[in-house]
Amino acid sequence: MAVTFSLGRWQLARATQKQALQESIESRQHQPAIDLATVAAPIDQTQLDKLLHRPVSLRGVWVADRTVYLDNRQMGGRQGFDVLTPLRLSGADSVVLVQRGWAPRNFGDRTALPAVQTPSGEVTILGRIAASPARLYSLGEDGHGAIRQNLDLEAFRGETGLPLASLTVLQTGEASEGLLREWPQPATGVEKHHGYAFQWFGLCALIGLLFTWFQVVRPFYISRRV
């Protein structure tokens, strides 16, 4: 009982930590937009962690020929591509990799690229600071074609020769250019820890009931019969 009760309390403590993190994320999303100079400046992992989920407004020109389509990505329960394109920032010698949105795939021809429009000339986009795209399980190397399973930011920097910033931007807003942007809200898994805590406390209570029955109640009735 002591072990299961302690594990339940530990899960509640983890839930409290995750709740604080969730509140921090939601607070960042309502902070003022980050300026171009902050995005273009070299940053380390600690600085990136503090910027994650902050809103940002970028102005620049798409490097369309370096667009990457990450395969086997879902949105709204449908399979397709996450489309990423580098954006060369105006007024700065830096390029930011933008996760522009999601596009459905052609299941009749798995090599066909979706009909995504990439405007020429200077554009302004809104988004939020994000880490590198999530990695999916892959049996081989990521490859260097337009369609890939995963993308490593450092490897992509070396492959393209572009001065990529150490962060990426998740573009937000209404659907456009053949892309959906119904991104899930960042979640820290608070409910998961509450569920685990409930299970441990439930097991603790069950052990207590079984102990009471077999060690107290049952022997009492047996002794009365004797």
Side-chain angles (χ1 to χ4, degrees):
M1 288 180 65
V3 170
T4 53
F5 185 78
S6 297
L7 287 171
R9 285 178 57 85
W10 179 75
Q11 288 293 345
L12 287 181
R14 290 287 293 158
T16 300
Q17 294 173 358
K18 292 295 184 67
Q19 183 63 45
L21 178 58
Q22 186 69 43
E23 292 173 355
S24 173
I25 290 174
E26 293 174 357
S27 174
R28 292 180 192 180
Q29 291 178 336
H30 294 90
Q31 292 179 3
I34 297 174
D35 55 39
L36 286 173
T38 302
V39 175
I43 59 174
D44 56 28
Q45 186 60 46
T46 300
Q47 293 171 310
L48 174 58
D49 291 340
K50 294 179 180 179
L51 293 176
L52 283 177
H53 312 295
R54 288 278 301 273
V56 63
S57 176
L58 298 179
R59 190 176 67 257
V61 178
W62 294 117
V63 186
D65 61 334
R66 291 299 187 178
T67 298
V68 173
Y69 302 82
L70 296 185
D71 202 358
N72 297 314
R73 307 295 164 135
Q74 291 192 7
M75 184 168 288
R78 301 166 59 195
Q79 288 282 351
F81 301 100
D82 278 355
V83 180
L84 287 67
T85 304
L87 182 72
R88 192 178 301 278
L89 301 179
S90 298
D93 185 23
S94 185
V95 177
V96 173
L97 187 63
V98 179
Q99 303 179 50
R100 296 173 57 195
W102 177 93
R105 70 169 308 127
N106 183 341
F107 289 96
D109 181 2
R110 298 187 65 85
T111 63
L113 298 177
V116 174
Q117 298 83 50
T118 303
S120 59
E122 190 174 72
V123 297
T124 299
I125 69 162
L126 300 177
R128 60 175 184 259
I129 301 299
S132 298
R135 292 188 63 84
L136 301 182
Y137 179 75
S138 177
L139 293 176
E141 296 182 357
D142 295 337
H144 297 85
I147 298 178
R148 311 183 186 191
Q149 183 81 344
N150 296 296
L151 185 144
D152 179 81
L153 193 61
E154 186 64 34
F156 191 62
R157 183 184 293 115
E159 173 191 339
T160 61
L162 296 171
L164 288 172
S166 302
L167 49 79
T168 72
V169 169
L170 196 72
Q171 186 176 354
T172 56
E174 298 296 326
S176 64
E177 301 163 356
L179 295 165
L180 297 179
R181 301 187 180 93
E182 300 170 1
W183 305 112
Q185 286 297 313
T188 57
V190 175
E191 297 80 4
K192 177 183 67 176
H193 291 290
H194 283 150
Y196 288 156
F198 178 80
Q199 292 176 7
W200 285 120
F201 288 138
L203 184 57
C204 178
L206 177 61
I207 295 171
L209 289 173
L210 292 175
F211 176 84
T212 303
W213 171 255
F214 285 106
Q215 300 297 324
V216 180
V217 177
R218 192 167 180 269
F220 174 76
Y221 279 108
I222 291 176
S223 64
R224 289 288 299 272
R225 289 177 182 177
V226 173

